Amino acid sequence: QTLPSAPRVQGPKEIKMTTHIIHELQNLNSIRAGYAFSGTLRAAKAKATRDQVFQGTLLKITDETGTTVSIKDLETGKWYNPSDFE
């Protein structure tokens, strides 16, 4: 009698650490300097939400080149990626 083999466990996924720029803006067309954060996009979203100073402001995360990576909806609090609007 043989024991069933255990399922194969894959190693951890490669986590992409990059530099994100976090902006807190009055509206989508506002321009304001942000601050750099090095880590995953998920960690950048958490940091932006935690560090939000004013109520009703827009949180936007860009990459180092200024390309928008994610925007937080003012009303629902949900994060959206630019690809969600294509």
Side-chain angles (χ1 to χ4, degrees):
Q1 182 179 15
T2 59
L3 296 173
S5 60
R8 272 190 94 113
V9 177
Q10 293 181 354
K13 287 185 176 181
E14 184 177 327
I15 298 174
K16 189 173 183 182
M17 302 284 273
T18 57
T19 300
H20 296 92
I21 312 299
I22 299 172
H23 306 268
E24 185 174 2
L25 309 169
Q26 284 195 307
N27 60 55
L28 193 54
N29 296 320
S30 296
I31 298 173
R32 188 172 183 193
Y35 60 93
F37 176 79
S38 183
T40 63
L41 179 58
R42 182 177 183 171
K45 289 176 181 180
K47 174 98 171 126
T49 302
R50 210 173 31 249
D51 291 353
Q52 186 173 8
V53 177
F54 302 103
Q55 283 187 332
T57 53
L58 178 83
L59 296 176
K60 180 168 98 170
I61 298 176
T62 61
D63 62 13
E64 292 174 311
T65 63
T67 304
T68 300
V69 178
S70 195
I71 299 170
K72 187 172 185 181
D73 187 311
L74 295 172
E75 294 179 15
T76 65
K78 183 178 177 187
W79 285 95
Y80 291 97
N81 300 325
S83 61
D84 295 338
F85 302 105
E86 293 177 354

